Amino acid sequence: MRISPARRLAGAAAVAAASVLALAAPAFAHVTVQPGSVQQGGYTAVDFRVPNESDTASTVKLEVNLPLDHPMASVRVLPVPGWTAVLEKSKLDKPLNSHGKDITEAVSKITWTAEGGAKIAPGQFQEFKVSLGALPTDTEKLTFKALQTYDNGDVVRWIDEAKDGQPEPAKPAPVLKLTKAPAAAGADHHAAGSADAAKDKATGTAVAKADDSTARTLGVVGIVVGVIGAALGVLGLRRKSSAS
């Protein structure tokens, strides 16, 4: 049986599509932090999104490690029904100053464990919300290495860090990008006010100089007029004397 070129093309397209889907599927199964980007210096709430990538097992534990090279003084979790959260702290090599106080230890790990039949079943995902702050201002990203445990004993280690110019690793660690905060509106108004004040001062100085120049000119004119008047008066008296 001869296969027509059209059928061959359709078959090749189907194979290519299946290959693309096969390659793309793992990307959708990554443990990620949402949103992927926030501003430096402030406080924010993020979600650690955990999809179940197994067809036969369920996720029953998630461990997220917080970077101690950029510690945060405030770390709090939002309760998730059916899951318990345990926060572990570690001693800091260098105290962290927060609101005028030195913090000597910070949360370094959060572990969520399913209880009472709770789980992330095949085809499902779960989000674990965390409040973080203050976010550092001396880095462009925070990397949270995570471990995902299944009820069959399998552990997926989401700990690989992406490198510039190289393909994304098979098990990338969740990354939160940090962007520079925009200039404060108050600072802009202050700058504008300063510029306006400087402009007003310059204008006032110019007006004052102009007024001073005008006054001097009028003074000189007055003196000249006075001299001329005096001269005419003297001349008139002389003529009167001569006539007498």
Side-chain angles (χ1 to χ4, degrees):
M1 179 179 177
R2 183 179 180 182
I3 301 176
S4 66
R7 288 187 177 180
R8 289 180 179 177
L9 182 59
V15 172
S19 299
V20 170
L21 290 175
L23 291 174
F28 292 107
H30 292 353
V31 172
T32 59
V33 57
Q34 304 294 329
S37 177
V38 296
Q39 290 183 2
Q40 296 176 340
Y43 290 76
T44 189
V46 299
D47 291 316
F48 287 96
R49 184 172 297 171
V50 184
N52 195 91
E53 61 177 4
S54 174
D55 294 330
T56 58
S58 298
T59 298
V60 292
K61 182 192 288 188
L62 174 69
E63 300 168 72
V64 174
N65 293 278
L66 281 64
L68 281 181
D69 55 344
H70 293 95
M72 287 161 284
S74 177
V75 179
R76 303 182 181 185
V77 298
L78 184 71
V80 179
W83 296 74
T84 60
V86 176
L87 282 67
E88 298 180 26
K89 292 186 176 182
S90 294
K91 196 79 172 179
L92 299 177
D93 294 334
K94 180 180 178 181
L96 176 66
N97 186 273
S98 177
H99 302 290
K101 296 182 179 180
D102 286 337
I103 308 298
T104 59
E105 59 180 13
V107 176
S108 58
K109 183 179 181 181
I110 307 174
T111 302
W112 287 272
T113 305
E115 292 186 348
K119 59 185 177 181
I120 308 175
Q124 297 180 351
F125 74 94
Q126 178 66 56
E127 290 182 336
F128 300 90
K129 187 178 290 290
V130 181
S131 172
L132 302 171
L135 297 172
T137 58
D138 58 348
T139 183
E140 295 181 349
K141 67 178 181 179
L142 293 175
T143 301
F144 301 91
K145 297 184 177 182
L147 276 65
Q148 181 179 8
T149 302
Y150 288 84
D151 57 7
N152 63 356
D154 291 344
V155 178
V156 181
R157 301 170 62 83
W158 303 97
I159 62 173
D160 297 333
E161 297 188 42
K163 297 182 180 180
D164 294 338
Q166 296 186 12
E168 183 183 58
K171 303 296 180 183
V175 174
L176 179 64
K177 295 182 179 180
L178 303 179
T179 60
K180 294 288 185 182
D188 293 341
H189 292 321
H190 179 72
S194 299
D196 290 341
K199 182 178 178 181
D200 292 342
K201 183 178 180 181
T203 302
T205 302
V207 171
K209 287 183 178 180
D211 291 342
D212 184 61
S213 298
T214 301
R216 289 183 180 181
T217 301
L218 291 176
V220 172
V221 171
I223 293 173
V224 172
V225 171
V227 172
I228 294 175
L232 290 175
V234 172
L235 182 60
L237 289 174
R238 287 183 178 180
R239 286 182 179 177
K240 187 175 180 180
S241 298
S242 299
S244 299

